[in-house]
Amino acid sequence: MHLLLRDQALQKTSEHDVYAGPSARYCPAGVYEWVEEGSDPRFVINAQNCVHCKTCDIKDPNQNINWVTPEGGGGPNYVNM
Ligand code: SF4
């Protein structure tokens, strides 16, 4: 897993409840989803879809999402861009 949430509870109380879940919109690969299940929305990270643009690392309102360099192969590697 190369996408790490620093604080799961904060993601719900702030990213979802205060900011209305921007991660589901700014991620170009649709990695983040808020699955509304009654009163208890669930944050889903489809990490396998990530194209490593690092937008989430910058745009999360709480800096709560930490993108780290993926280990091993799997997809293009643009570290030197
Ligand atoms: S690095 Fe880019 S593609 Fe990957 S989860 Fe973050 S915003 Fe989405």
Side-chain angles (χ1 to χ4, degrees):
M1 174 67 88
H2 64 276
L3 299 165
L4 306 172
L5 265 190
R6 292 193 172 93
D7 183 338
Q8 186 86 40
L10 180 68
Q11 203 63 10
K12 157 79 172 70
T13 56
S14 181
E15 205 265 356
H16 179 277
D17 293 356
V18 177
Y19 294 96
S23 58
R25 296 186 294 276
Y26 64 62
C27 174
V31 168
Y32 301 105
E33 291 175 76
W34 278 104
V35 179
E36 304 289 340
E37 290 171 336
S39 60
D40 192 21
R42 193 161 49 87
F43 193 54
V44 176
I45 303 179
N46 301 298
Q48 73 279 7
N49 294 344
C50 177
V51 294
H52 311 304
C53 68
K54 292 193 75 172
T55 301
C56 54
D57 202 65
I58 297 158
K59 286 198 112 172
D60 181 75
N62 305 297
Q63 301 289 293
N64 194 30
I65 298 175
N66 192 20
W67 179 94
V68 295
T69 311
E71 291 182 30
N77 193 351
Y78 298 130
V79 243
N80 294 320
M81 257 172 65

